[in-house]
Amino acid sequence: MDTLKRLEQIIAERATAAPDKSYVAKLNAKGLETIAKKLGEEATETVIAALSQGKDELAAESADLLFHLLVLLQAKGVSLDQVMSELDRREGVSGLVEKASRGG
């Protein structure tokens, strides 16, 4: 968890850098739609790695996915602590019960 917290801080620091100096700043400059699309691309690459590649490839794609999720969360003003609190709230609740409580 410490790694994700450090990464969240780095992403926050780089969000306001010059776009030519930081990948995070470049994504932010392109806007939320671009960030969301990039997250979708990384999710697809993670699924492909899970289905047809090895553990190392899946780990690498998963790291990319987590990174881009953190960029999206930062862009929307959602902290990792908020996400963890939601996971804590769901702990011990059946996934089926939790999903039903959201109407889906």
Side-chain angles (χ1 to χ4, degrees):
M1 189 63 188
D2 290 341
T3 300
L4 289 176
K5 291 298 290 179
R6 284 192 308 272
L7 185 55
E8 179 182 48
Q9 182 61 40
I10 291 167
I11 288 168
E13 291 167 3
R14 294 185 182 170
T16 57
D20 64 333
K21 301 289 184 195
S22 165
Y23 176 69
V24 171
K26 184 176 180 178
L27 282 175
N28 278 294
K30 290 182 178 184
L32 189 60
E33 186 174 325
T34 296
I35 296 169
K37 284 181 181 178
K38 186 63 180 169
L39 179 63
E41 290 171 17
E42 296 300 341
T44 299
E45 291 172 6
T46 302
V47 170
I48 291 167
L51 295 175
S52 64
Q53 298 175 359
K55 290 180 181 181
D56 290 343
E57 292 82 5
L58 178 57
E61 293 300 342
S62 296
D64 290 346
L65 180 62
L66 287 171
F67 172 82
H68 287 89
L69 176 59
L70 289 175
V71 172
L72 179 69
L73 291 172
Q74 187 278 326
K76 289 292 291 182
V78 176
S79 71
L80 188 56
D81 286 339
Q82 286 174 273
V83 175
M84 298 310 294
S85 290
E86 178 60 17
L87 288 172
D88 288 343
R89 183 190 70 76
R90 296 179 185 187
E91 189 174 354
V93 176
S94 160
L96 296 174
V97 170
E98 196 285 326
K99 187 172 181 178
S101 75
R102 292 185 280 138

